[in-house]
Amino acid sequence: SIFFYSPSVEKCGLEETLSAASLELPLVIWRSERTLILNGILDEGLLVLACLPGLRWKDALSNLSRSMRYLRQARVLIELDVGKRDLLAQRVLEFCQSQDMINTIVIFDDFAETQTVFSFNSFPHFEMLSNSFTNDTQASNLYPDKMLDLHGFKIRTLPDYSEPNTILYKDKQGNKQILGYLWDILEAYARKYNAQLQVVNKGVHERTLNLKEALDFARKGIIDVGASIQPLTVVQKDRYRELSYPVDLSSWCTMLPVERDLEVSEILARVLPLPSLFLLTVLWICYEALRGRWRHHNRLLTIGWLLVVTVLGSNYLGKLLSLLADPPAIAPIDSLAAMIDSPIRIYSVSAEYTSLDFTKRTKYSAAFRLTTTSKDLIEMRNSLNTSFAYSITSAKWKLYEEQQKHSSRPLFRYSTSPDLCFYEMFLFGLIIPENSVHRAPLHHTTLQVWQSGLYNLWLSRSFFYMVKAGKISFANLRGLYQAKTLSVMDLRKIFLMYGAGILGSLALFISELIVACVKLWLGFY
């Protein structure tokens, strides 16, 4: 498709050429100075032809750049009617460079005689070129892919220091270094296109960045590609162009503490045959009711003792075998309602909490404990504090899963319960300026990284990166299990139940004795 832009009244050579050519391509002609949003009707495969007045070129070109929002890498051919050739062409092309319109060439109204085309190199710095147009000139010569080789250009980036995406640490020499699977991706991108990474720290003092700060740095043009991965579904609908094509596909769920082990006294209490004791109590009441009213009650007493031994023995043996085969445990937390009833709360950041569904936030607000900074969340999560649960993506969970493999028993589990998963399988992208020239090559690089398996490899190294940076260690998290002999405290519940039974029997005996004394005093004997 072709977009012809000519805010001036006079005809130019491009318009005459366009009208003389018999093209079967979609053509959009715009002669107004108002801004036309092209991205709603065209894509980057268009050719832009612009006739600009030499004296008011900047206003017209500014309007064209606004019309080409999100389409700045389209091919642009500008014809100027007056002005000094080299000086005016350089000023026009420098402005195009500042607007990320790197595929722009300039000709003048006497092009038919001079056959001169002005273009420029964008990397590593601006350099205007003047070429002659011939019959053998190809489109690839007029519009070469300038992103194939950046000639050592320094790509400005800013890590968000959200571990383990990007990890800041000091090596043995005291020099600051950056690790992380996200940093590996950016380094691969820089190597592929012959560029360098330049870390820009603009007032962040090496702290964890939040989403708003990272987006502001991209909008202001401070960075070219942000070393910060953000979910496309959390940002506002009109902000998805401020993120690269998807780099990762992940879920955002909850990292829950593993339910504590039952104490020995609790286990022994569960082994006690309480239902059987209740059944025998009912049978004893029936026996007492029949005693003295049925002459065969002695036979019933004999059968009762056999029944007591059989029921108690079978019940105890069954519960003991069940204990050995499937040890009892505390019921796991599988919903936010169960979370509220437990002492555990989800530790999260306020910015993440506000992105949740409104109904879930209002109904289950008591299940969350919020902090204002991501640094607090990361520190609490890295310390593996089992007093809280934590919101986490499935990609970051792999770090803690690997860490717990070096321990005798895990401390946390990753809950995929629908009620505890805030977003399932949603896309992540890198933060970039909305008209970034790096969008397409970065997309190509991330696809190659995924297809080659490098992404999963670098992601699996997150644990070892954290160990190298001194953020976590190989230490056993829970220590080795040691069998211990039973103590009096372990049997306290059994003693309590035994004492309760003795007290009940004693109370029953005293009550019977009082009844007998009362009957004797009243003369019934």
Side-chain angles (χ1 to χ4, degrees):
S1 56
I2 298 176
F3 175 68
F4 179 74
Y5 174 66
S6 179
S8 59
V9 179
E10 298 81 5
K11 280 192 175 183
C12 64
L14 285 178
E15 186 174 0
E16 295 175 357
T17 303
L18 189 62
S19 59
S22 56
L23 299 176
E24 297 181 356
L25 296 175
L27 175 63
V28 178
I29 299 177
W30 190 253
R31 298 185 183 277
S32 173
E33 294 184 356
R34 292 181 298 174
T35 300
L36 175 65
I37 305 302
L38 290 177
N39 69 85
I41 55 177
L42 301 173
D43 57 21
E44 289 187 356
L46 80 158
L47 173 64
V48 178
L49 304 179
C51 293
L52 304 182
L55 298 178
R56 296 186 298 108
W57 66 267
K58 192 166 187 178
D59 293 337
L61 191 54
S62 297
N63 181 60
L64 177 61
S65 68
R66 289 192 295 270
S67 298
M68 293 178 61
R69 188 181 183 187
Y70 310 135
L71 301 174
R72 300 282 175 86
Q73 281 72 61
R75 297 178 178 182
V76 181
L77 174 58
I78 297 176
E79 180 180 335
L80 299 171
D81 55 2
V82 293
K84 297 181 180 179
R85 295 179 179 277
D86 294 351
L87 180 59
L88 180 58
Q90 180 171 350
R91 292 175 61 189
V92 170
L93 293 176
E94 284 179 345
F95 182 81
C96 291
Q97 165 96 335
S98 67
Q99 298 297 308
D100 295 320
M101 299 165 61
I102 61 173
N103 294 316
T104 302
I105 59 177
V106 172
I107 60 175
F108 286 86
D109 53 0
D110 57 352
F111 173 75
E113 291 80 20
T114 61
Q115 300 289 300
T116 302
V117 176
F118 295 92
S119 60
F120 66 98
N121 287 330
S122 299
F123 307 102
H125 51 76
F126 177 84
E127 179 186 3
M128 191 179 73
L129 303 175
S130 177
N131 301 310
S132 297
F133 182 84
T134 63
N135 294 332
D136 298 328
T137 301
Q138 302 293 324
S140 58
N141 301 122
L142 293 176
Y143 296 102
D145 190 349
K146 299 177 182 179
M147 300 302 297
L148 288 177
D149 189 352
L150 301 184
H151 302 283
F153 176 76
K154 292 183 178 180
I155 300 175
R156 298 167 301 164
T157 185
L158 182 61
D160 60 2
Y161 300 122
S162 176
E163 301 168 356
N165 298 350
T166 50
I167 309 164
L168 179 67
Y169 78 105
K170 289 185 179 180
D171 58 18
K172 295 180 179 179
Q173 289 73 33
N175 300 321
K176 295 178 180 178
Q177 303 291 342
I178 299 176
L179 293 173
Y181 74 93
L182 205 57
W183 192 252
D184 289 334
I185 294 176
L186 291 184
E187 285 186 330
Y189 174 68
R191 285 194 302 269
K192 178 178 175 63
Y193 294 101
N194 189 22
Q196 302 176 27
L197 294 178
Q198 180 184 7
V199 177
V200 180
N201 288 322
K202 290 290 185 179
V204 296
H205 305 296
E206 300 166 356
R207 58 177 172 81
T208 304
L209 290 181
N210 56 43
L211 174 61
K212 183 179 183 302
E213 289 176 320
L215 289 174
D216 287 341
F217 283 123
R219 292 193 194 104
K220 295 175 182 178
I222 297 176
I223 59 174
D224 299 313
V225 179
S228 175
I229 191 169
Q230 299 293 340
L232 274 70
T233 53
V234 172
V235 298
Q236 296 179 5
K237 185 177 180 180
D238 59 343
R239 287 184 181 172
Y240 75 96
R241 294 185 181 273
E242 297 181 84
L243 299 176
S244 69
Y245 288 100
V247 176
D248 187 20
L249 181 66
S250 185
S251 298
W252 180 25
C253 299
T254 307
M255 170 177 157
L256 283 168
V258 174
E259 286 68 26
R260 67 175 179 85
D261 298 331
L262 290 175
E263 297 181 2
V264 176
S265 59
E266 294 176 305
I267 295 177
L268 293 177
R270 296 193 180 198
V271 175
L272 290 176
L274 297 180
S276 300
L277 292 176
F278 177 76
L279 174 62
L280 293 175
T281 303
V282 174
L283 293 177
W284 176 78
I285 294 174
C286 294
Y287 168 75
E288 288 294 330
L290 294 174
R291 191 176 61 172
R293 296 181 175 86
W294 188 38
R295 61 180 179 175
H296 299 294
H297 73 276
N298 290 328
R299 184 183 300 177
L300 181 63
L301 180 62
T302 304
I303 297 174
W305 281 114
L306 294 175
L307 182 64
V308 167
V309 174
T310 304
V311 171
L312 287 178
S314 300
N315 190 281
Y316 183 81
L317 182 60
K319 287 208 170 187
L320 184 60
L321 292 176
S322 176
L323 171 66
L324 298 176
D326 186 16
I330 298 175
I333 298 174
D334 57 358
S335 65
L336 289 175
M339 180 79 69
I340 294 177
D341 296 333
S342 73
I344 304 298
R345 293 293 179 265
I346 300 176
Y347 200 83
S348 185
V349 184
S350 301
E352 294 180 352
Y353 176 75
T354 55
S355 64
L356 300 181
D357 180 69
F358 177 77
T359 303
K360 184 175 290 187
R361 277 188 287 139
T362 52
K363 187 176 181 180
Y364 301 109
S365 59
F368 293 86
R369 179 70 60 83
L370 303 179
T371 180
T372 56
T373 61
S374 301
K375 182 180 179 181
D376 294 339
L377 172 61
I378 294 173
E379 289 179 350
M380 287 285 289
R381 196 166 57 197
N382 287 347
S383 67
L384 298 179
N385 188 334
T386 55
S387 301
F388 295 96
Y390 304 96
S391 58
I392 191 173
T393 62
S394 56
K396 288 188 177 182
W397 164 248
K398 294 180 180 180
L399 162 68
Y400 302 100
E401 185 180 31
E402 182 67 28
Q403 183 181 9
Q404 294 182 109
K405 288 180 181 178
H406 300 272
S407 179
S408 58
R409 290 177 293 170
L411 287 177
F412 287 87
R413 62 182 176 89
Y414 186 71
S415 175
T416 56
S417 170
D419 202 26
L420 294 174
C421 268
F422 310 117
Y423 291 98
E424 293 190 30
M425 304 307 292
F426 63 110
L427 302 173
F428 283 85
L430 295 170
I431 290 181
I432 58 175
E434 61 180 21
N435 293 299
S436 175
V437 298
H438 298 277
R439 179 182 295 274
L442 188 60
H443 182 209
H444 183 66
T445 301
T446 52
L447 284 179
Q448 289 184 323
V449 166
W450 263 98
Q451 292 171 353
S452 63
L454 287 174
Y455 180 85
N456 291 329
L457 173 64
W458 291 334
L459 184 61
S460 65
R461 289 179 177 176
S462 296
F463 171 70
F464 303 99
Y465 286 155
M466 293 286 283
V467 172
K468 183 177 180 180
K471 305 295 183 179
I472 57 179
S473 64
F474 279 101
N476 195 337
L477 301 177
R478 300 187 68 171
L480 296 176
Y481 176 77
Q482 295 180 351
K484 298 179 181 179
T485 57
L486 293 177
S487 63
V488 176
M489 293 301 296
D490 294 331
L491 302 174
R492 64 183 183 275
K493 289 192 176 181
I494 295 180
F495 289 150
L496 288 174
M497 296 182 68
Y498 177 75
I502 294 295
L503 291 176
S505 301
L506 184 60
L508 184 61
F509 172 74
I510 294 174
S511 63
E512 290 180 348
L513 186 60
I514 292 174
V515 170
C517 292
V518 170
K519 287 183 177 181
L520 180 61
W521 181 70
L522 293 176
F524 288 103
Y525 295 106

